[in-house]
Amino acid sequence: MTRPCELTAAAAARAIAARELSPVELTESVLQRAADTEDTLNAFVTRTAEVARARAAQAERDVMAGRSLGPLHGVPFALKDNIDASGVLTTASSALWAERVPAENSAVMDRLTAAGAILVGKTEMHEFAYGLVTPQTANPWAGDRIAGGSSGGSAAAVAVGSATFALGTDTAGSIRVPASFNGLVGLKPTYGVVSRFGVAPLSWSMDHVGPLTRSVQDAALVLHAIAGQDPRDPASVVSPHPPQLGKGSEDLRGVRVGVPANYFFDHVETHVADAVHRATARLVELGATAVDVTVPLTTYMIPTLWGHVAPEAAAAHDDHLRHHPELFGDGLRTLLEAGRMITADTYLRAQRSRSLIREAWRELFTTIDVLATPTVASTAPLRSQTVMRWNDGYTEDITDSLLRLTSPANITGLPALSLPIGEDHQGLPIGMQLIGNHLAEPDLLHIGQVYEAARGDTAPRRRAPLLRGSSESHPPGPHAQIAGAGA
């Protein structure tokens, strides 16, 4: 029997609207799931249980009175801990912000509150989002594997049902990497579509906010709620209002799917590459046309990424680095200090390189509608792993391995959707990344929804097996603070 905490957001919304499920029942199921799993998982920094219960009771009264705020009304969610919620401890998983309680909501928190969604907690992350691992959080599919980062806590919570959906941030792949490793849908919108007001900056020119969900429909629902121009974010853009449930057609006729002949399948695990090729073939069976493409300027991707992220992150944290360097973790402090060494000349060269890459990709998207690639070159690595060693002898730092295939969408600012497409021989999830044209979120959601419906696996059977079935209650671990204040 499916428990409420295992429902997709769309399924929960339908049940609430039909008065077959109470927001109180759903929220209690999610809170109990967190209580059952947190000692093993450590997905949350802070849990807002009492405020969530109060808001669920209000949502139930609203629904019974016929007052609906939309399809997310009464649906529990989690926020990555670099996204502000008024009155709730927001630490960015850093000792530097150990006692920080913002007085104002982030833009996305305001929008989700207006939509009636219920915050159940703030999730663990790589410190200040500068990493792809989230070392403090376990992967619920296999406890000896990383959850991915930097939005690892958000992904793990959704995977096990301690949140129905969650928000993450993505500077080089930090939504899509954990989505891939946890068997979830992860969407990085076009740069500027979702406001970053109230979000701790890492790299101003590459930071994005987006959803981690159990289905493409859920991603569409959440994007519909959080997207919109915001004058408080200088990068905010006017965009077509995203659909709530994607387009209605059931095939992909007329869709041109780019199959990259270079870069995206270089140094990729065989089972990952094979799964993506099978998924691409399925898109063709559904009516799409495969187009072989050579992706331009790939040699410059990683240097261009670091040429922006390293100095921008150092600038964002300059005051803290000068006055409280001891409060940063060793890994983050080293990265920030290295970023200080990037010269203005190097930064300007990176900007020029980025302009050339963007122009070349604009030309690429005159021949295709979407680029289909692996999300990550591997399934989730071991938590103790620091390098990737490929069969041809090539050795790669684990961080570069994890961001190599996702970072092009941050450099170009294009929307990218990660879809679960299967598991490897160890049962670890594999993700396929679909990169779309500028402001093409509706097209990505349509393609993803058609693929997902044809595959027929959006139900709870894809929930992380390690923790499924736990029903006993455990006291919260020492990492979890039960917050009484709410946004």
Side-chain angles (χ1 to χ4, degrees), residues 329-344:
D330 291 342
L332 176 57
R333 186 171 62 251
T334 298
L335 286 170
L336 294 175
E337 288 172 348
R340 281 178 160 181
M341 305 302 291
I342 302 294
T343 64

Side-chain angles (χ1 to χ4, degrees), residues 96-107:
L96 186 70
W97 279 6
E99 299 179 359
R100 179 179 177 270
V101 178
E104 187 176 9
N105 277 336
S106 59

Side-chain angles (χ1 to χ4, degrees), residues 45-106:
V45 178
T46 301
R47 285 182 271 160
T48 55
E50 294 311 310
V51 171
R53 289 187 173 102
R55 289 185 174 169
Q58 181 60 55
E60 181 177 274
R61 291 191 291 270
D62 290 340
V63 170
M64 295 303 294
R67 298 187 295 268
S68 174
L69 298 178
L72 295 179
H73 196 176
V75 177
F77 74 98
L79 278 182
K80 185 175 179 177
D81 205 38
N82 60 343
I83 303 174
D84 286 352
S86 173
V88 179
L89 184 69
T90 300
T91 73
S93 290
S94 177
L96 186 70
W97 279 6
E99 299 179 359
R100 179 179 177 270
V101 178
E104 187 176 9
N105 277 336
S106 59

Side-chain angles (χ1 to χ4, degrees), residues 131-211:
L132 276 294
V133 176
T134 314
Q136 64 273 43
T137 299
N139 186 311
W141 291 77
D144 61 346
R145 304 278 169 167
I146 67 169
S150 58
S151 310
S154 288
V158 177
V160 299
S162 52
T164 304
F165 70 89
L167 293 192
T169 61
D170 191 311
T171 302
S174 290
I175 289 172
R176 290 158 290 154
V177 170
S180 181
F181 289 168
N182 287 272
L184 301 175
V185 173
L187 174 63
K188 183 200 78 67
T190 301
Y191 183 72
V193 162
V194 177
S195 173
R196 300 164 304 168
F197 174 80
V199 179
L202 174 59
S203 173
W204 295 291
S205 69
M206 294 200 190
D207 291 343
H208 302 68
V209 179

